[in-house]
Amino acid sequence: MKRIAVSCLSLLMATTIQAQQTPVYLDESKPIEQRIDDALSRMTLDEKIAVIHAQSKFSSPGVKRLGFPDLWTDDGPHGVRPDVLWDEWVQAGQTNDSCVAFPALTCLAATWNPQMARIYGESLGEEALYRNKSVMLGPGVNIYRTPLGGRNFEYMGEDPYLASQIVVPYVKGLQSKGVAACVKHYALNNDEEYRHQVNVVISDRALHEIYLPAFRAAVKEGGAWSIMGAYNLYQNQHNCHNATMLNRILKQNWGFDGVVISDWGGCHDTDEAVRNGLDLEFGTWTDGLMMGKTNAYDSYYLADAYKQAIKEGKYTTKELDEKVRRLLRLFYRTTMNRHKPFGFLCSDSHYEAALKIAQEGIVLLKNEGVKESGVRSQEAAPLLPLDLSKTKRILVVGENAIKMMTVGGGSSSLKVQKEILPLDGIRARFKDVTVDYARGYVGDTLQSYNGVTVGRSLYETRSQAELTAEAVEKAREADVVIFIGGLNKSDHQDCEGHDRLSYDLPYAQNEVIEAILKVNPRLVYVNISGNGAALPWLPKVPAVVQAWFIGSEAGDAIASVLAGDVNPSGKLPFTWYANLNQCGAHALNTYPGTWRDDHKIIDEVYAEDVFVGYRWTDRLQANHKVQSSKLKAQSSTPLFPFGHGLSYTTFKLGKVTADKKNIAADEQITFTVDVTNIGQQAGAETVQLYISDKQSSVNRPVKELKGFRKVFLRPGETQSVSITVGRDALSFYDETSSSWKAEPGDFEALIGCSAADIRSRCSFTLLP
């Protein structure tokens, strides 16, 4: 009896103590900031230090004593990466971590459709939720500065406005599911070679006009909950702990209230990490501080070294509390959000989204006809879509027709539930036609990447001469040849860690294409890549399709466009140069930079300044016109301009009008143009608005994209398209005042279907 009484008393006391310790932050009726204050006041120094650095390859600890679960991140941005072991990059061998691979972000940008970006983000968020991932490491919005950039396929092209319009709905869609976007790589991580050592030297104007707008939009319009710092340096400080980038621009000027996460291994110094804005440190090298040291997370720069410095009085807890406050805010938005929806993995809706995005992003670059005699002709019907009444035998050539592109490429590599390869998609769609295959060339015979196998065997014993001969012989008998080539996810191609070594297509692709053209001119070239490439045989090839890396539904998406089931509507998000001399970074010989005397840092001067992509080619062509040099003007013309993309139908744009001729500084102006589908098929056109400043105190681009709208029209249908802009569309970054400035004077609005296809113009004046 006595024993029972004591037990009851002990239970009562324990219950009372527990009730007294019930934290206020669990009361969801309280504002989040109040709950953060309460939780922060209860945390010990050890708990605070723990939450600001990793505990495994992809997780950081929560605060178990207070009920905060661990925070799990995962690579994106095109799908949820398969799980790895706790402290190794080796696959964990799970059977429930396959995913849907969505198209690479170059393809998403090529849709020029923010609605697709919203669907993309929501679908990815649902997959992440199912896998218990609270932070997806994406999207990437670094600018396409050079077509040799190994990671360009993960980004959204060369134009800051286009990238801004696509990233915002992506972030909102992802975070609507309670999963944080981690927008990367902030900032100036525009090439992969020497990425840990490159110190970017750039004007303030180019920084703010070209390289920061998409990040700014993700933060201020998209409300991004986290940002990933970049490996490279700016102003001689690594961007994962950079006073200007993180403290002044991101947190002070933009009001970012989220978490700055280091890129894996991007932290280099405890003092800079403490003072210069880094909140959460991940992956210092692959195994701790150095290769070969395992489970070394307490040895990170923001771990024991930081804690010891606080104890010794080098730092107060001011900076630490600010970091922890941001982490707690992220917890409440993700792991502690009890109102998150349910996740779904590999659902029908996700595959439908992946297919739709791929179809809208595929770009028809060229489409001409071939006469019966074999001569290309403008009078003959275009080669695409394929006319099945005249097509009984199709030959597919190229390794990329049988190679999985969801595997490899670095951190974006995935383990998919399925990937429909181009050859399989074509055979399924054209089942009533004989579809033959010839490999044509050997590029990459690796059978696995990071533990994920590539499916169909790529082993090959035949010589290149034998492969070429087979392709030529089979091409003689084919009604049409579909060559599926381009790049792949191997090192020095579209892959993290290195840039491309050449602008040419790799392997023997050019040789095989030239050989095929001699026996069969009816050739469709389908390019798989996230980058442009030199295409020396382009004048001889009647049809060219840019098909990107488009994920799980690749084969079906490509086949649907070739067959005409889908009318292509994608537009290039970058300028496709004829050669590297048309790109400013290469024309000025500033890439990849110059090593300092100690060979530890390489300075890369962005000497082309704001003239990136079409801004550079426009400038070249304008200068050449002044010089009246026809030869030079031709040499500055890219293969395909920014914003270019054809259709199986034809669109007519009317004359653009404005709702006013003069606008005050605080007013907006609306431009309207009629778009008519004058062809025979339903399709979509993207109306692009460029603004030209006619009289400026600084050297401005000839024109800049400031608005666009994609419209879907039936044959004969007309729709009025209106695009409204304000002062921000007329402004440049003024370095003398460190602010945006719109100078009064004359401007011109240019309406067209690409940067080189301007259909109508309208002048207006910004009043003083």
Side-chain angles (χ1 to χ4, degrees), residues 423-436:
L423 177 60
D424 297 333
I426 290 170
R427 281 179 168 161
R429 173 59 185 83
F430 299 103
K431 55 183 177 294
D432 296 328
V433 174
T434 299
V435 178
D436 201 358

Side-chain angles (χ1 to χ4, degrees), residues 57-58 74-75 80-99 131 133 406-408 410-416 448-454:
K57 281 288 178 283
F58 283 102
D74 209 346
D75 276 318
V80 186
R81 181 177 177 163
D83 289 323
V84 299
L85 296 176
W86 186 264
D87 191 47
E88 299 177 44
W89 291 117
V90 178
Q91 297 297 308
Q94 296 180 2
T95 58
N96 64 344
D97 61 348
S98 296
C99 69
R131 294 270 305 283
K133 309 302 181 185
T406 59
V407 180
S411 60
S412 64
S413 182
L414 301 171
K415 183 171 80 175
V416 295
S448 67
Y449 181 90
N450 199 21
V452 178
T453 58
V454 299

Side-chain angles (χ1 to χ4, degrees), residues 25-316:
Y25 65 85
L26 290 178
D27 183 353
E28 295 185 1
S29 66
K30 303 292 184 181
I32 283 183
E33 296 304 316
Q34 184 175 332
R35 294 154 71 191
I36 290 172
D37 289 339
D38 178 73
L40 186 62
S41 71
R42 297 168 186 269
M43 292 175 66
T44 66
L45 177 61
D46 285 344
E47 289 168 337
K48 291 178 180 179
I49 290 292
V51 300
I52 64 170
H53 68 83
Q55 64 177 357
S56 74
K57 281 288 178 283
F58 283 102
S59 73
S60 61
V63 190
K64 296 175 178 62
R65 183 178 65 87
L66 301 181
F68 290 90
D70 293 345
L71 183 75
W72 282 91
T73 71
D74 209 346
D75 276 318
H78 311 130
V80 186
R81 181 177 177 163
D83 289 323
V84 299
L85 296 176
W86 186 264
D87 191 47
E88 299 177 44
W89 291 117
V90 178
Q91 297 297 308
Q94 296 180 2
T95 58
N96 64 344
D97 61 348
S98 296
C99 69
V100 172
F102 299 94
L105 294 188
T106 41
C107 178
L108 176 62
T111 69
W112 288 60
N113 189 344
Q115 292 179 345
M116 289 295 101
R118 176 74 190 210
I119 292 170
Y120 195 122
E122 290 179 355
S123 302
L124 182 62
E126 289 175 349
E127 298 245 329
L129 271 181
Y130 187 91
R131 294 270 305 283
N132 194 34
K133 309 302 181 185
S134 293
V135 180
M136 285 304 297
L137 305 175
V141 292
N142 293 102
I143 291 296
Y144 184 109
R145 177 177 177 252
T146 162
L148 300 187
R151 219 163 175 181
N152 283 342
F153 71 97
E154 291 188 52
Y155 303 143
M156 298 183 181
E158 72 183 33
D159 185 76
Y161 180 82
L162 175 62
S164 297
Q165 294 300 303
I166 299 299
V167 72
V168 169
Y170 179 116
V171 169
K172 287 184 175 180
L174 180 63
Q175 294 185 168
S176 72
K177 304 300 179 180
V179 177
C182 185
V183 186
K184 61 185 187 183
H185 303 87
Y186 180 76
L188 301 170
N189 188 176
N190 306 111
D191 39 75
E192 286 293 287
E193 211 66 46
Y194 313 117
R195 59 184 180 172
H196 293 277
Q197 298 156 285
V198 168
N199 177 59
V200 175
V201 181
I202 187 174
S203 72
D204 282 351
R205 185 173 161 218
L207 175 68
H208 285 272
E209 288 189 20
I210 304 296
Y211 298 97
L212 292 186
F215 289 104
R216 184 178 187 272
V219 169
K220 294 185 70 67
E221 299 174 42
W225 294 340
S226 62
I227 289 281
M228 182 186 290
Y231 282 133
N232 54 286
L233 299 88
Y234 167 67
Q235 295 180 338
N236 297 306
Q237 281 186 338
H238 281 279
N239 278 343
C240 285
H241 35 73
N242 187 293
T244 299
M245 283 289 185
L246 300 179
N247 286 342
R248 182 169 66 82
I249 297 176
L250 179 64
K251 293 184 174 180
Q252 180 180 328
N253 294 352
W254 297 352
F256 176 65
D257 68 355
V259 172
V260 174
I261 300 176
S262 74
D263 202 341
W264 271 230
C267 187
H268 298 267
D269 183 85
T270 294
D271 188 64
E272 287 193 2
V274 170
R275 301 183 188 279
N276 293 346
L278 180 62
D279 300 312
L280 177 57
E281 180 186 2
F282 264 101
T284 306
W285 301 115
T286 54
D287 298 296
L289 285 177
M290 61 190 73
M291 297 294 290
K293 189 172 183 179
T294 60
N295 285 301
Y297 303 103
D298 287 339
S299 299
Y300 278 14
Y301 293 103
L302 286 181
D304 285 350
Y306 186 18
K307 180 170 67 174
Q308 187 60 32
I310 290 175
K311 289 182 176 180
E312 293 173 355
K314 182 176 180 179
Y315 308 108
T316 68

